[in-house]
Amino acid sequence: MSAVIPIAADHGCADLPVLRERGQREVFCGLTGIIWLHRKIQDAFFLVVGSRTCAHLIQSAAGVMIFAEPRFATAIIDERDLAGIADANDELDRVVRRLLERRPDIRLLFLVGSCPSEVIKLDLSRAAQRLSREFLPNVRVLNYSGSGIETTFTQGEDACLAALAPQLPAAGANDPASLLVVGCLPDVVEDQFARLFAAIGVPRVQFFPPRSSRALPPVGPNTHVLLAQPFLGDTARALEQRGARRIAAPFPFGVEGTTAWLKAAADLFGIAATDFERATQPARERAQLSLQRHRETLQGKRIFFFPDSQLEIPLARFLARELGMQLTEVGTPYLHREHLRQELAWLPAQTALSEGQDVDKQLDRCRSLAPDLVVCGLGLANPLESEGLTTKWAIELVFSPVHGYEQAADLAGLFARPLKRRAMLTREAVCS
Ligand code: SF4
């Protein structure tokens, strides 16, 4: 059996120059993360302390939940509450008491801050401490901010997990080494990774966030953190403060990223290359084969990324290296150079990178480059489509299962579909 793992050589540069822009931006706020977080931690509840706009945002983004007993809600702070902060605190306590009385299944309650000025005046961390004291040991109350002033949409997850990290039980210095996979993954993807790690021979693998707040993974000096998402800077720092160490790795998107990500953990636990090869080969070959059908559509096509999710750099790397797409500009809301070191080294040389946004200037650059595909937020997609550009909603990339070998083709398909749709419309227009 061959022991060659198909990881291509670096041809980019981890020190690529970056265009930094600070202007008007078009991105969802961190409240959006509640949509996938509430599905993951099944005994948690997210109480947004906000305005009617916040309530509307999460209700419409998670519309399907109106048929079930939801695990999120908004405590609307209105003008009546402005009469006095003390009243607003009383009001919040009353809402929480009523909620916990009605929903005894809630074990972890997040108070999620937002950006209206009346909410900013409320000290939610004190409110969380006060309410935690009242409801312990049955319910733990934590807080974080999803405010659009401080966060873009994936930073909501980072803020939530960073708030949860100090609550993890402590692992001791004499405990055996363990692997902690960090970042919200759909259960089906988490199960696939758990099976792969078991087949490779990596011991003591846990996932954070867990599916239940009663199963918080322990963390300590022998915990090795493997980030599954590129937007978890604060969470990684909070875990490092607990003694954990981060494993440097690219992110598990596409065949190459997934292989290198798994391999980084396998190497740390001293797994032999041949064992790694044997355990990953079937899934890797299946994924490589399944990518072929999308390569035909994507090869040579030019793509432009607006900054939305912080997934842009790993995704651009996957599209350029495994599917032959050309990167015109790769925008990211925030560039964490350390966490993205391997990803940057894998980008084609001279990739145009930008960080932050000045939306009008970036729109001008996009129009003049006239890419085949633009990845952007909902607010930009319709105007750009009406100008004849083909777009992909960035938010879909966060809502869909896209990590790992089994999802590599689905991930490529998310980019191929709008191009196929555009080709079909153009054909129909020519024929009619
Ligand atoms: Fe809008 Fe701010 Fe509420 Fe987000 S947190 S929905 S940006 S008001």
Side-chain angles (χ1 to χ4, degrees):
M1 181 176 59
S2 133
V4 177
I5 308 295
I7 299 173
D10 300 355
H11 58 168
C13 168
D15 296 318
L16 280 170
V18 181
L19 170 67
R20 287 207 168 73
E21 291 191 309
R22 297 286 178 264
Q24 197 195 331
R25 49 185 195 153
E26 286 276 344
V27 221
F28 278 125
C29 65
L31 295 189
T32 325
I34 294 171
I35 312 306
W36 60 89
L37 283 162
H38 87 271
R39 289 191 190 131
K40 185 72 203 178
I41 318 173
Q42 285 158 18
D43 55 359
F45 193 97
F46 294 80
L47 183 65
V48 176
V49 184
S51 63
R52 282 175 212 285
T53 313
C54 310
H56 186 70
L57 173 91
I58 63 160
Q59 266 306 328
S60 48
V64 288
M65 288 304 293
I66 57 173
F67 299 112
E69 185 75 287
R71 284 201 303 276
F72 57 83
T74 309
I76 294 171
I77 302 291
D78 58 24
E79 304 208 336
R80 190 166 51 89
D81 304 315
L82 283 175
I85 291 298
D87 292 353
N89 276 313
D90 290 347
E91 181 73 5
L92 180 62
D93 291 6
R94 200 177 55 78
V95 168
V96 168
R97 277 184 207 120
R98 209 174 50 203
L99 170 72
L100 295 178
E101 240 172 63
R102 212 171 60 77
R103 298 285 300 275
D105 54 313
I106 298 171
R107 295 277 170 262
L108 176 61
L109 174 65
F110 288 103
L111 304 177
V112 190
S114 61
C115 42
S117 53
E118 51 271 36
V119 176
I120 293 171
K121 282 184 224 146
L122 269 177
D123 187 339
L124 287 186
S125 94
R126 285 182 67 178
Q129 282 166 20
R130 183 175 68 236
L131 288 160
S132 248
R133 274 196 302 275
E134 183 172 338
F135 291 101
L136 266 176
N138 293 334
V139 187
R140 204 188 302 250
V141 185
L142 302 174
N143 76 291
Y144 71 89
S145 172
S147 154
I149 301 165
E150 296 164 69
T151 57
T152 62
F153 74 101
T154 48
Q155 277 175 296
E157 177 177 333
D158 192 21
C160 172
L161 299 187
L164 193 51
Q167 306 295 319
L168 302 184
N174 295 326
D175 284 339
S178 63
L179 180 71
L180 188 61
V181 178
V182 176
C184 215
L185 294 168
D187 290 352
V188 57
V189 178
E190 188 178 301
D191 291 343
Q192 287 165 7
F193 282 144
R195 282 196 295 274
L196 269 169
F197 282 122
I200 293 166
V202 175
R204 295 172 291 280
V205 181
Q206 288 192 284
F207 292 83
F208 180 61
R211 295 178 198 190
S212 159
S213 69
R214 294 278 158 116
L216 293 177
V219 63
N222 293 327
T223 307
H224 298 276
V225 165
L226 187 60
L227 295 179
Q229 301 283 19
F231 45 76
L232 297 175
D234 288 350
T235 306
R237 202 171 317 116
L239 292 168
E240 279 159 8
Q241 279 165 4
R242 301 285 314 272
R245 283 168 284 170
R246 184 181 66 87
I247 303 174
F251 292 90
F253 300 109
V255 181
E256 192 177 43
T258 303
T259 304
W261 185 78
L262 293 167
K263 184 88 170 59
D267 287 349
L268 194 121
F269 284 88
I271 310 289
T274 44
D275 291 343
F276 180 81
E277 165 74 12
R278 194 179 312 116
T280 55
Q281 188 181 24
R284 213 173 55 232
E285 286 180 357
R286 254 195 329 270
Q288 267 157 355
L289 203 66
S290 66
L291 280 182
Q292 271 172 20
R293 65 193 149 99
H294 296 299
R295 202 167 292 124
E296 203 180 306
T297 311
L298 297 172
Q299 180 99 35
K301 295 288 191 306
R302 301 166 73 246
I303 187 166
F304 188 107
F305 281 89
F306 278 86
D308 274 282
S309 62
Q310 292 188 53
L311 294 175
E312 294 85 2
I313 290 173
L315 294 180
R317 174 269 298 164
F318 163 60
L319 293 169
R321 289 169 66 104
E322 295 192 51
L323 294 150
M325 291 194 87
Q326 290 176 28
L327 310 176
T328 54
E329 176 170 332
V330 182
T332 181
Y334 174 67
L335 175 59
H336 196 305
R337 276 202 183 269
E338 199 43 46
H339 288 184
L340 286 161
R341 186 158 291 281
Q342 279 91 339
E343 293 287 353
L344 290 169
W346 270 356
L347 285 178
Q350 271 104 46
T351 299
L353 285 178
S354 60
E355 184 193 22
Q357 190 168 47
D358 190 330
V359 71
D360 287 327
K361 286 188 191 160
Q362 199 166 25
L363 278 167
D364 288 345
R365 292 200 297 279
C366 179
R367 288 183 184 113
S368 74
L369 286 161
D372 297 296
L373 185 61
V374 181
V375 182
C376 60
L378 297 172
L380 295 181
N382 280 350
L384 289 174
E385 285 277 341
S386 73
E387 292 175 29
L389 288 160
T390 306
T391 61
K392 169 87 234 146
W393 292 349
I395 201 158
E396 256 189 278
L397 300 161
V398 180
F399 283 160
S400 314
V402 290
H403 295 72
Y405 293 129
E406 308 296 337
Q407 282 63 238
D410 295 343
L411 177 57
L414 288 173
F415 295 93
R417 212 167 300 139
L419 288 168
K420 284 186 179 157
R421 189 194 60 216
R422 171 70 66 176
M424 214 147 50
L425 289 173
T426 313
R427 253 198 320 273
E428 275 170 17
V430 169
C431 295
S432 61

